[in-house]
Coordinates of all heavy atoms in Angstrom, one line a residue:
E32 N -4.1 15.0 5.1 CA -4.2 16.2 4.2 C -3.7 17.4 5.0 O -3.8 17.5 6.2 CB -5.7 16.4 3.8 CG -6.3 15.2 3.0 CD -7.8 15.5 2.8 OE1 -8.2 16.7 2.7 OE2 -8.5 14.5 2.7
A33 N -3.1 18.3 4.3 CA -2.7 19.6 4.8 C -3.1 20.7 4.0 O -3.1 20.6 2.7 CB -1.1 19.6 5.0
E34 N -3.6 21.8 4.6 CA -4.2 22.9 3.8 C -3.1 24.0 3.5 O -3.5 25.0 2.9 CB -5.4 23.5 4.5 CG -5.1 24.1 5.9 CD -6.3 24.6 6.5 OE1 -7.4 24.2 6.2 OE2 -6.2 25.5 7.4
D35 N -1.9 23.8 3.9 CA -0.9 24.8 3.6 C 0.5 24.1 3.8 O 0.7 23.2 4.5 CB -0.9 26.0 4.6 CG -0.1 27.2 4.1 OD1 -0.6 28.0 3.4 OD2 1.1 27.2 4.5
G36 N 1.5 24.7 3.0 CA 2.8 24.1 3.0 C 3.5 24.2 4.4 O 4.4 23.5 4.7
A37 N 3.0 25.2 5.2 CA 3.5 25.3 6.6 C 3.3 24.1 7.4 O 4.0 23.9 8.4 CB 2.9 26.6 7.2
D38 N 2.3 23.3 7.1 CA 2.0 22.1 7.8 C 2.7 20.8 7.3 O 2.6 19.7 7.9 CB 0.5 21.9 7.9 CG -0.2 23.1 8.5 OD1 0.3 23.6 9.5 OD2 -1.3 23.5 7.9
A39 N 3.3 20.9 6.1 CA 3.7 19.8 5.4 C 4.8 18.9 6.1 O 4.6 17.7 6.3 CB 4.3 20.2 4.0
A40 N 5.8 19.6 6.6 CA 6.9 18.8 7.3 C 6.4 18.1 8.5 O 6.7 17.0 8.8 CB 8.1 19.8 7.6
R41 N 5.5 18.8 9.3 CA 5.0 18.2 10.5 C 4.1 17.0 10.2 O 4.2 16.0 10.8 CB 4.1 19.3 11.3 CG 3.4 18.7 12.5 CD 2.6 19.8 13.2 NE 1.6 20.4 12.3 CZ 0.4 19.8 12.1 NH1 0.1 18.7 12.7 NH2 -0.5 20.4 11.3
M42 N 3.3 17.1 9.1 CA 2.5 16.0 8.7 C 3.3 14.8 8.2 O 2.9 13.7 8.4 CB 1.5 16.5 7.7 CG 0.5 17.6 8.1 SD -0.7 17.1 9.3 CE -2.0 16.5 8.2
V43 N 4.4 15.1 7.5 CA 5.2 14.0 7.0 C 5.8 13.3 8.2 O 5.8 12.0 8.2 CB 6.4 14.6 6.1 CG1 7.5 13.6 5.9 CG2 5.8 15.0 4.8
K44 N 6.3 14.0 9.2 CA 6.9 13.3 10.4 C 5.8 12.5 11.2 O 6.1 11.5 11.7 CB 7.5 14.4 11.3 CG 8.8 15.0 10.8 CD 9.5 15.9 11.8 CE 8.8 17.2 11.9 NZ 9.6 18.1 12.8
E45 N 4.6 13.0 11.2 CA 3.5 12.4 11.9 C 3.0 11.2 11.2 O 2.7 10.1 11.8 CB 2.4 13.4 12.2 CG 1.3 12.8 13.0 CD 0.2 13.9 13.3 OE1 0.5 15.1 13.1 OE2 -0.9 13.5 13.7
H46 N 2.8 11.2 9.9 CA 2.1 10.2 9.2 C 3.0 9.3 8.3 O 2.6 8.3 7.8 CB 1.0 10.8 8.3 CG 0.0 11.5 9.1 ND1 -1.1 10.8 9.7 CD2 -0.2 12.8 9.4 CE1 -1.9 11.6 10.4 NE2 -1.4 12.9 10.2
R47 N 4.3 9.7 8.0 CA 5.2 9.0 7.2 C 4.7 8.5 5.9 O 4.7 7.3 5.6 CB 5.8 7.8 8.0 CG 6.4 8.1 9.4 CD 7.4 9.1 9.3 NE 8.5 8.8 8.3 CZ 9.5 9.6 8.0 NH1 9.5 10.8 8.4 NH2 10.4 9.1 7.1
P48 N 4.2 9.4 5.0 CA 3.7 9.0 3.7 C 4.9 8.6 2.8 O 6.1 9.0 3.0 CB 3.1 10.3 3.2 CG 3.9 11.4 3.9 CD 4.2 10.9 5.2
D49 N 4.6 7.9 1.8 CA 5.6 7.5 0.8 C 5.7 8.6 -0.3 O 6.8 8.8 -0.8 CB 5.2 6.2 0.1 CG 5.0 5.0 1.1 OD1 6.0 4.7 1.8 OD2 3.9 4.5 1.2
V50 N 4.6 9.2 -0.6 CA 4.6 10.3 -1.6 C 3.8 11.5 -1.1 O 2.7 11.3 -0.5 CB 3.9 9.8 -2.9 CG1 3.9 10.9 -4.0 CG2 4.7 8.6 -3.5
V51 N 4.2 12.7 -1.4 CA 3.5 13.9 -1.0 C 3.1 14.6 -2.3 O 3.9 14.8 -3.2 CB 4.4 14.9 -0.2 CG1 3.6 16.2 0.0 CG2 4.8 14.2 1.1
L52 N 1.8 14.9 -2.5 CA 1.3 15.7 -3.6 C 1.3 17.2 -3.1 O 0.5 17.5 -2.2 CB 0.0 15.3 -4.0 CG -0.1 14.1 -5.0 CD1 0.2 12.8 -4.2 CD2 -1.5 14.0 -5.6
M53 N 2.2 18.0 -3.7 CA 2.4 19.3 -3.1 C 1.9 20.4 -4.1 O 2.4 20.5 -5.2 CB 3.9 19.5 -2.9 CG 4.3 20.9 -2.3 SD 4.0 20.9 -0.5 CE 5.4 19.8 0.1
D54 N 1.0 21.2 -3.6 CA 0.5 22.4 -4.4 C 1.6 23.4 -4.4 O 2.5 23.4 -3.6 CB -0.8 22.9 -3.8 CG -1.4 24.0 -4.6 OD1 -1.1 24.1 -5.8 OD2 -2.1 24.8 -4.1
I55 N 1.6 24.3 -5.4 CA 2.6 25.3 -5.5 C 2.2 26.6 -4.8 O 2.9 27.1 -3.9 CB 2.9 25.7 -7.0 CG1 3.8 24.5 -7.6 CG2 3.7 27.0 -7.1 CD1 5.2 24.4 -7.0
R56 N 1.1 27.2 -5.1 CA 0.7 28.5 -4.6 C -0.2 28.3 -3.4 O -1.4 28.0 -3.5 CB 0.1 29.3 -5.7 CG 1.0 29.6 -6.8 CD 0.4 30.4 -7.9 NE 1.4 30.7 -9.0 CZ 1.2 31.5 -10.0 NH1 0.0 32.1 -10.1 NH2 2.1 31.7 -10.9
M57 N 0.3 28.6 -2.2 CA -0.4 28.5 -1.0 C -0.2 29.8 -0.1 O 0.9 30.4 -0.3 CB 0.0 27.2 -0.2 CG -0.5 25.9 -0.9 SD 0.0 24.4 -0.1 CE 1.7 24.3 -0.5
P58 N -1.1 30.2 0.7 CA -1.0 31.5 1.3 C 0.1 31.7 2.3 O 0.7 32.8 2.3 CB -2.4 31.6 2.0 CG -2.9 30.2 2.2 CD -2.4 29.5 1.0
R59 N 0.4 30.7 3.2 CA 1.4 31.0 4.2 C 2.8 30.5 3.8 O 3.8 31.3 3.8 CB 1.0 30.2 5.5 CG -0.1 30.9 6.3 CD -0.3 30.2 7.6 NE -0.7 28.8 7.5 CZ -0.5 27.9 8.4 NH1 0.1 28.2 9.5 NH2 -1.0 26.6 8.2
L60 N 2.9 29.3 3.3 CA 4.2 28.7 2.9 C 4.0 28.0 1.5 O 3.2 27.1 1.5 CB 4.8 27.8 3.9 CG 6.2 27.3 3.7 CD1 7.2 28.5 3.9 CD2 6.6 26.2 4.6
D61 N 4.6 28.5 0.5 CA 4.4 27.9 -0.8 C 5.1 26.6 -1.0 O 5.8 26.1 -0.1 CB 4.9 28.9 -2.0 CG 6.4 29.1 -1.9 OD1 7.1 28.2 -1.7 OD2 6.8 30.3 -2.2
G62 N 4.7 25.9 -2.1 CA 5.2 24.5 -2.3 C 6.7 24.4 -2.4 O 7.3 23.4 -2.1
L63 N 7.4 25.5 -2.9 CA 8.8 25.5 -3.0 C 9.5 25.4 -1.7 O 10.3 24.5 -1.4 CB 9.3 26.7 -3.8 CG 10.8 27.0 -3.8 CD1 11.5 25.9 -4.6 CD2 11.1 28.3 -4.4
A64 N 9.1 26.3 -0.8 CA 9.7 26.3 0.6 C 9.3 25.0 1.3 O 10.1 24.5 2.1 CB 9.2 27.5 1.4
A65 N 8.1 24.6 1.1 CA 7.6 23.3 1.8 C 8.4 22.1 1.3 O 8.8 21.2 2.1 CB 6.1 23.1 1.6
T66 N 8.7 22.1 0.0 CA 9.5 21.0 -0.5 C 10.9 21.0 0.1 O 11.4 19.9 0.4 CB 9.6 21.1 -2.1 OG1 8.3 21.0 -2.6 CG2 10.6 20.1 -2.7
R67 N 11.5 22.1 0.2 CA 12.8 22.2 0.9 C 12.8 21.7 2.3 O 13.7 21.0 2.7 CB 13.3 23.6 0.8 CG 13.8 24.1 -0.6 CD 14.2 25.5 -0.6 NE 14.7 25.9 -1.9 CZ 14.8 27.2 -2.3 NH1 14.4 28.1 -1.5 NH2 15.3 27.4 -3.5
E68 N 11.7 22.1 3.0 CA 11.6 21.6 4.4 C 11.5 20.1 4.5 O 12.1 19.5 5.3 CB 10.4 22.3 5.1 CG 10.7 23.8 5.4 CD 9.6 24.3 6.3 OE1 8.6 23.6 6.7 OE2 9.7 25.5 6.7
V69 N 10.6 19.6 3.6 CA 10.4 18.1 3.7 C 11.7 17.4 3.2 O 12.0 16.3 3.8 CB 9.2 17.7 2.8 CG1 9.1 16.2 2.6 CG2 7.9 18.3 3.3
Q70 N 12.3 17.9 2.2 CA 13.5 17.2 1.7 C 14.7 17.2 2.8 O 15.6 16.4 2.7 CB 14.0 17.9 0.4 CG 13.2 17.5 -0.8 CD 13.3 16.0 -1.1 OE1 14.3 15.5 -1.4 NE2 12.1 15.4 -1.1
A71 N 14.6 18.2 3.7 CA 15.6 18.2 4.8 C 15.4 17.2 5.9 O 16.3 17.0 6.7 CB 15.6 19.7 5.3
L72 N 14.2 16.6 5.9 CA 13.9 15.6 6.9 C 14.7 14.3 6.6 O 15.1 14.0 5.5 CB 12.4 15.3 6.9 CG 11.5 16.4 7.3 CD1 10.0 16.0 7.1 CD2 11.7 16.9 8.7
P73 N 15.0 13.5 7.7 CA 15.6 12.2 7.4 C 14.7 11.3 6.6 O 13.5 11.2 6.9 CB 15.8 11.6 8.9 CG 15.7 12.8 9.8 CD 14.8 13.8 9.1
D74 N 15.2 10.6 5.6 CA 14.5 9.7 4.8 C 13.2 10.3 4.3 O 12.1 9.8 4.5 CB 14.2 8.4 5.5 CG 13.7 7.3 4.7 OD1 13.9 7.3 3.4 OD2 13.0 6.4 5.1
P75 N 13.3 11.4 3.5 CA 12.1 12.1 3.1 C 11.3 11.3 2.1 O 11.8 10.5 1.3 CB 12.6 13.4 2.5 CG 14.0 13.0 2.0 CD 14.5 12.0 3.0
P76 N 10.0 11.6 2.0 CA 9.2 10.9 0.9 C 9.4 11.5 -0.4 O 10.0 12.6 -0.5 CB 7.7 11.2 1.4 CG 7.8 12.5 2.1 CD 9.2 12.5 2.8

Side-chain angles (χ1 to χ4, degrees):
E32 300 175 26
E34 62 183 21
D35 194 89
D38 303 317
R41 175 180 60 82
M42 299 289 274
V43 165
K44 288 188 286 187
E45 182 177 345
H46 296 279
R47 305 305 304 172
D49 302 301
V50 178
V51 176
L52 277 73
M53 184 79 74
D54 187 22
I55 285 292
R56 298 183 178 184
M57 292 178 283
R59 288 188 294 156
L60 191 71
D61 64 42
L63 173 62
T66 294
R67 287 176 175 160
E68 286 192 357
V69 171
Q70 286 296 300
L72 297 174
D74 191 23

